[in-house]
PDB file of all heavy atoms in Angstrom:
ATOM      1  N   LEU T  14     110.077  99.340  82.201  1.00  0.00           N
ATOM      2  CA  LEU T  14     108.583  99.127  82.145  1.00  0.00           C
ATOM      3  C   LEU T  14     107.975 100.261  82.877  1.00  0.00           C
ATOM      4  O   LEU T  14     108.375 100.701  83.921  1.00  0.00           O
ATOM      5  CB  LEU T  14     108.266  97.851  82.921  1.00  0.00           C
ATOM      6  CG  LEU T  14     108.893  96.512  82.373  1.00  0.00           C
ATOM      7  CD1 LEU T  14     108.586  95.382  83.297  1.00  0.00           C
ATOM      8  CD2 LEU T  14     108.287  96.154  80.955  1.00  0.00           C
ATOM      9  N   VAL T  15     106.859 100.741  82.275  1.00  0.00           N
ATOM     10  CA  VAL T  15     106.017 101.800  82.960  1.00  0.00           C
ATOM     11  C   VAL T  15     104.624 101.183  83.075  1.00  0.00           C
ATOM     12  O   VAL T  15     103.903 100.963  82.125  1.00  0.00           O
ATOM     13  CB  VAL T  15     106.018 103.101  82.056  1.00  0.00           C
ATOM     14  CG1 VAL T  15     105.124 104.160  82.736  1.00  0.00           C
ATOM     15  CG2 VAL T  15     107.397 103.598  81.802  1.00  0.00           C
ATOM     16  N   ILE T  16     104.335 100.811  84.303  1.00  0.00           N
ATOM     17  CA  ILE T  16     103.108 100.063  84.622  1.00  0.00           C
ATOM     18  C   ILE T  16     102.130 100.960  85.249  1.00  0.00           C
ATOM     19  O   ILE T  16     102.331 101.424  86.382  1.00  0.00           O
ATOM     20  CB  ILE T  16     103.504  98.849  85.622  1.00  0.00           C
ATOM     21  CG1 ILE T  16     104.696  98.053  85.020  1.00  0.00           C
ATOM     22  CG2 ILE T  16     102.283  97.935  85.673  1.00  0.00           C
ATOM     23  CD1 ILE T  16     105.237  97.063  85.947  1.00  0.00           C
ATOM     24  N   ILE T  17     101.030 101.266  84.569  1.00  0.00           N
ATOM     25  CA  ILE T  17     100.182 102.348  84.886  1.00  0.00           C
ATOM     26  C   ILE T  17      98.818 101.802  85.372  1.00  0.00           C
ATOM     27  O   ILE T  17      98.234 100.942  84.736  1.00  0.00           O
ATOM     28  CB  ILE T  17      99.909 103.315  83.714  1.00  0.00           C
ATOM     29  CG1 ILE T  17     101.269 103.719  83.063  1.00  0.00           C
ATOM     30  CG2 ILE T  17      99.093 104.461  84.056  1.00  0.00           C
ATOM     31  CD1 ILE T  17     101.158 104.320  81.704  1.00  0.00           C
ATOM     32  N   GLY T  18      98.283 102.358  86.455  1.00  0.00           N
ATOM     33  CA  GLY T  18      97.047 101.844  87.040  1.00  0.00           C
ATOM     34  C   GLY T  18      95.773 102.266  86.320  1.00  0.00           C
ATOM     35  O   GLY T  18      94.648 101.958  86.806  1.00  0.00           O
ATOM     36  N   ILE T 133     108.650  99.716  77.601  1.00  0.00           N
ATOM     37  CA  ILE T 133     107.349  99.141  77.358  1.00  0.00           C
ATOM     38  C   ILE T 133     106.377  99.734  78.466  1.00  0.00           C
ATOM     39  O   ILE T 133     106.753  99.561  79.635  1.00  0.00           O
ATOM     40  CB  ILE T 133     107.384  97.638  77.315  1.00  0.00           C
ATOM     41  CG1 ILE T 133     108.276  97.181  76.200  1.00  0.00           C
ATOM     42  CG2 ILE T 133     105.997  97.139  77.221  1.00  0.00           C
ATOM     43  CD1 ILE T 133     108.354  95.664  76.027  1.00  0.00           C
ATOM     44  N   ALA T 134     105.315 100.279  78.070  1.00  0.00           N
ATOM     45  CA  ALA T 134     104.325 100.765  79.004  1.00  0.00           C
ATOM     46  C   ALA T 134     102.995 100.080  78.789  1.00  0.00           C
ATOM     47  O   ALA T 134     102.665  99.661  77.652  1.00  0.00           O
ATOM     48  CB  ALA T 134     104.174 102.269  78.878  1.00  0.00           C
ATOM     49  N   GLY T 135     102.181  99.942  79.849  1.00  0.00           N
ATOM     50  CA  GLY T 135     100.862  99.439  79.700  1.00  0.00           C
ATOM     51  C   GLY T 135      99.966 100.154  80.748  1.00  0.00           C
ATOM     52  O   GLY T 135     100.392 100.328  81.879  1.00  0.00           O
ATOM     53  N   THR T 136      98.784 100.495  80.352  1.00  0.00           N
ATOM     54  CA  THR T 136      97.865 101.130  81.285  1.00  0.00           C
ATOM     55  C   THR T 136      96.659 100.176  81.457  1.00  0.00           C
ATOM     56  O   THR T 136      96.138  99.577  80.511  1.00  0.00           O
ATOM     57  CB  THR T 136      97.375 102.479  80.787  1.00  0.00           C
ATOM     58  OG1 THR T 136      96.615 103.046  81.786  1.00  0.00           O
ATOM     59  CG2 THR T 136      96.690 102.482  79.449  1.00  0.00           C
ATOM     60  N   GLY T 139      96.520  96.806  79.997  1.00  0.00           N
ATOM     61  CA  GLY T 139      97.905  96.683  79.560  1.00  0.00           C
ATOM     62  C   GLY T 139      98.862  96.461  80.699  1.00  0.00           C
ATOM     63  O   GLY T 139      99.980  95.924  80.554  1.00  0.00           O
ATOM     64  N   ALA T 140      98.525  97.064  81.872  1.00  0.00           N
ATOM     65  CA  ALA T 140      99.361  96.854  83.043  1.00  0.00           C
ATOM     66  C   ALA T 140      99.219  95.491  83.573  1.00  0.00           C
ATOM     67  O   ALA T 140     100.198  94.808  83.936  1.00  0.00           O
ATOM     68  CB  ALA T 140      98.991  97.894  84.161  1.00  0.00           C
ATOM     69  N   SER T 141      98.052  94.979  83.707  1.00  0.00           N
ATOM     70  CA  SER T 141      97.742  93.616  84.245  1.00  0.00           C
ATOM     71  C   SER T 141      98.470  92.573  83.493  1.00  0.00           C
ATOM     72  O   SER T 141      98.960  91.600  83.977  1.00  0.00           O
ATOM     73  CB  SER T 141      96.259  93.316  84.274  1.00  0.00           C
ATOM     74  OG  SER T 141      95.617  94.038  85.302  1.00  0.00           O
ATOM     75  N   MET T 143     101.367  92.674  82.053  1.00  0.00           N
ATOM     76  CA  MET T 143     102.806  92.727  82.106  1.00  0.00           C
ATOM     77  C   MET T 143     103.428  91.493  82.797  1.00  0.00           C
ATOM     78  O   MET T 143     104.566  91.153  82.503  1.00  0.00           O
ATOM     79  CB  MET T 143     103.190  94.011  82.870  1.00  0.00           C
ATOM     80  CG  MET T 143     102.976  95.291  82.051  1.00  0.00           C
ATOM     81  SD  MET T 143     104.469  95.829  81.270  1.00  0.00           S
ATOM     82  CE  MET T 143     104.006  97.514  80.818  1.00  0.00           C
ATOM     83  N   LEU T 171     107.508  90.532  83.954  1.00  0.00           N
ATOM     84  CA  LEU T 171     107.879  90.359  85.408  1.00  0.00           C
ATOM     85  C   LEU T 171     107.353  89.016  85.758  1.00  0.00           C
ATOM     86  O   LEU T 171     106.387  88.480  85.253  1.00  0.00           O
ATOM     87  CB  LEU T 171     107.078  91.439  86.238  1.00  0.00           C
ATOM     88  CG  LEU T 171     107.380  92.944  86.010  1.00  0.00           C
ATOM     89  CD1 LEU T 171     106.498  93.749  86.839  1.00  0.00           C
ATOM     90  CD2 LEU T 171     108.880  93.181  86.372  1.00  0.00           C
ATOM     91  N   ILE T 176      99.531  91.754  89.205  1.00  0.00           N
ATOM     92  CA  ILE T 176      99.316  93.214  89.145  1.00  0.00           C
ATOM     93  C   ILE T 176      97.794  93.448  89.036  1.00  0.00           C
ATOM     94  O   ILE T 176      97.057  92.846  88.252  1.00  0.00           O
ATOM     95  CB  ILE T 176     100.019  93.836  87.934  1.00  0.00           C
ATOM     96  CG1 ILE T 176     101.518  93.620  88.030  1.00  0.00           C
ATOM     97  CG2 ILE T 176      99.698  95.307  87.749  1.00  0.00           C
ATOM     98  CD1 ILE T 176     102.283  93.966  86.756  1.00  0.00           C
ATOM     99  N   ILE T 202     100.880  93.483  93.453  1.00  0.00           N
ATOM    100  CA  ILE T 202     101.125  94.881  93.172  1.00  0.00           C
ATOM    101  C   ILE T 202      99.847  95.558  92.829  1.00  0.00           C
ATOM    102  O   ILE T 202      99.214  95.215  91.772  1.00  0.00           O
ATOM    103  CB  ILE T 202     102.094  95.041  92.051  1.00  0.00           C
ATOM    104  CG1 ILE T 202     103.484  94.347  92.366  1.00  0.00           C
ATOM    105  CG2 ILE T 202     102.381  96.547  91.816  1.00  0.00           C
ATOM    106  CD1 ILE T 202     104.528  94.418  91.236  1.00  0.00           C
ATOM    107  N   ILE T 204      98.114  99.146  91.786  1.00  0.00           N
ATOM    108  CA  ILE T 204      98.499 100.475  91.319  1.00  0.00           C
ATOM    109  C   ILE T 204      97.290 101.350  91.135  1.00  0.00           C
ATOM    110  O   ILE T 204      96.328 101.033  90.466  1.00  0.00           O
ATOM    111  CB  ILE T 204      99.270 100.372  89.964  1.00  0.00           C
ATOM    112  CG1 ILE T 204     100.423  99.342  90.094  1.00  0.00           C
ATOM    113  CG2 ILE T 204      99.718 101.727  89.536  1.00  0.00           C
ATOM    114  CD1 ILE T 204     101.150  99.143  88.836  1.00  0.00           C
ATOM    115  N   THR T 208      98.697 106.713  88.248  1.00  0.00           N
ATOM    116  CA  THR T 208      99.907 106.333  89.065  1.00  0.00           C
ATOM    117  C   THR T 208     100.668 105.312  88.239  1.00  0.00           C
ATOM    118  O   THR T 208      99.991 104.421  87.612  1.00  0.00           O
ATOM    119  CB  THR T 208      99.562 105.824  90.431  1.00  0.00           C
ATOM    120  OG1 THR T 208      98.762 106.782  91.146  1.00  0.00           O
ATOM    121  CG2 THR T 208     100.743 105.507  91.246  1.00  0.00           C
ATOM    122  N   ALA T 209     101.917 105.386  88.287  1.00  0.00           N
ATOM    123  CA  ALA T 209     102.759 104.382  87.534  1.00  0.00           C
ATOM    124  C   ALA T 209     103.885 103.854  88.396  1.00  0.00           C
ATOM    125  O   ALA T 209     104.520 104.613  89.125  1.00  0.00           O
ATOM    126  CB  ALA T 209     103.315 104.904  86.229  1.00  0.00           C
ATOM    127  N   LEU T 210     104.155 102.513  88.283  1.00  0.00           N
ATOM    128  CA  LEU T 210     105.364 101.946  88.791  1.00  0.00           C
ATOM    129  C   LEU T 210     106.297 101.849  87.658  1.00  0.00           C
ATOM    130  O   LEU T 210     106.027 101.106  86.678  1.00  0.00           O
ATOM    131  CB  LEU T 210     104.995 100.540  89.396  1.00  0.00           C
ATOM    132  CG  LEU T 210     106.268  99.740  89.868  1.00  0.00           C
ATOM    133  CD1 LEU T 210     106.901 100.407  91.032  1.00  0.00           C
ATOM    134  CD2 LEU T 210     105.842  98.264  90.215  1.00  0.00           C
ATOM    135  N   VAL T 211     107.385 102.504  87.750  1.00  0.00           N
ATOM    136  CA  VAL T 211     108.452 102.454  86.651  1.00  0.00           C
ATOM    137  C   VAL T 211     109.555 101.598  87.157  1.00  0.00           C
ATOM    138  O   VAL T 211     110.081 101.714  88.280  1.00  0.00           O
ATOM    139  CB  VAL T 211     108.921 103.886  86.392  1.00  0.00           C
ATOM    140  CG1 VAL T 211     110.089 103.793  85.357  1.00  0.00           C
ATOM    141  CG2 VAL T 211     107.856 104.800  85.970  1.00  0.00           C
ATOM    142  N   VAL T 212     109.849 100.545  86.335  1.00  0.00           N
ATOM    143  CA  VAL T 212     110.921  99.578  86.640  1.00  0.00           C
ATOM    144  C   VAL T 212     112.027  99.688  85.656  1.00  0.00           C
ATOM    145  O   VAL T 212     111.837  99.600  84.434  1.00  0.00           O
ATOM    146  CB  VAL T 212     110.354  98.150  86.602  1.00  0.00           C
ATOM    147  CG1 VAL T 212     111.422  97.115  86.884  1.00  0.00           C
ATOM    148  CG2 VAL T 212     109.121  97.967  87.579  1.00  0.00           C
TER     149      VAL T 212
END
Side-chain angles (χ1 to χ4, degrees):
L14 298 172
V15 180
I16 311 169
I17 309 167
I133 298 180
T136 184
S141 287
M143 290 261 195
L171 298 174
I176 298 168
I202 302 175
I204 307 177
T208 305
L210 174 65
V211 179
V212 177

